[in-house]
Amino acid sequence: MIFNRFKFIKRSGRNPRETIEPNGQSDSTNPPAPAVLKPRYCLGLALSCGAARGLAHIGVIQVLEENNIPIDLVAGSSMGAYIAAVWGFGLNGQEMAKLAGEINGRVPLWRLVDPVFPPRRGFMRGNAIIDQLRRTIGAARIEHLTRPIRIVATHFDNLERVVFKSGNLARAVHASCAIPGICVPVKIDGEWAGR
């Protein structure tokens, strides 16, 4: 549909000004009307934290993909950052669900706990979880991913939001997953960051 002289005219594939001759042929003196393009909206997902409940994000991505709804950007914090990292690396919803099932089946929860002795700034390092992520994504960098993502964390010195748009992906996810008081914050470029 296009707006023409304060009326909506539905385009039928032929020029409304063109005449049809009695033999069924069109008068080709008028050029065909230009195609009207439908606007495409951008879709961004904001994935929150929540440990195992964060795995529900995989289901949301699967439903969007099954319905051919393109995702333009994913931003995440904590478990949402983990899911965003794997999605940005190139895995689709089904591959992520399979990966989550494999991790759940072969890695006992206690193996993901890596305590700090003596505890300073937190009780756990968080390295075991990030090592698990590195098995999937390797040494990927945020700016080189196949899909655009943003990882959100907190700057510990001034409590301001930090949005990672570039840099080492696993380090950014590690910083986003570092729960204050429980996990030791992550030092990135000389600054302490966490959730």
Side-chain angles (χ1 to χ4, degrees):
M1 297 181 93
I2 63 166
F3 191 77
N4 188 4
R5 293 191 186 190
F6 305 106
K7 294 181 189 174
F8 283 100
I9 298 174
K10 190 169 188 170
R11 293 284 182 169
S12 63
R14 69 173 182 84
N15 189 338
R17 293 184 200 109
E18 115 184 288
T19 58
I20 304 293
E21 299 295 325
N23 64 2
Q25 299 295 322
S26 65
D27 176 18
S28 60
T29 57
N30 291 330
V36 179
L37 299 175
K38 288 175 77 176
R40 184 185 169 293
Y41 298 97
C42 292
L43 174 66
L45 294 180
L47 306 181
S48 63
C49 41
R53 286 180 290 154
L55 294 175
H57 300 316
I58 296 172
V60 171
I61 291 172
Q62 280 181 313
V63 169
L64 291 171
E65 289 175 348
E66 288 169 3
N67 290 294
N68 296 318
I69 300 172
I71 304 167
D72 297 296
L73 176 83
V74 174
S77 173
S78 192
M79 184 55 149
Y82 195 103
I83 300 299
V86 175
W87 177 82
F89 187 70
L91 274 66
N92 64 27
Q94 289 181 341
E95 293 168 331
M96 288 191 296
K98 183 180 175 187
L99 179 67
E102 289 173 3
I103 291 171
N104 190 27
R106 71 171 185 229
V107 181
L109 184 60
W110 62 268
R111 292 191 67 200
L112 296 177
V113 176
D114 53 349
V116 176
F117 295 108
R120 292 190 183 139
R121 291 190 166 214
F123 298 101
M124 294 179 10
R125 287 184 189 86
N127 291 337
I129 295 168
I130 299 309
D131 289 344
Q132 191 68 42
L133 176 64
R134 282 191 183 112
R135 287 187 191 96
T136 304
I137 65 168
R141 297 190 57 81
I142 297 171
E143 64 271 20
H144 297 143
L145 295 176
T146 58
R147 300 173 178 146
I149 68 165
R150 300 294 182 263
I151 305 297
V152 182
T154 302
H155 190 287
F156 269 10
D157 293 333
N158 57 17
L159 301 180
E160 290 184 6
R161 178 182 61 227
V162 177
V163 179
F164 294 99
K165 300 175 186 175
S166 62
N168 184 292
L169 180 57
R171 296 284 294 162
V173 172
H174 192 179
S176 184
C177 290
I179 302 167
I182 296 174
C183 297
V184 176
V186 179
K187 200 168 199 173
I188 298 176
D189 297 331
E191 305 286 335
W192 291 100
R195 185 168 99 185

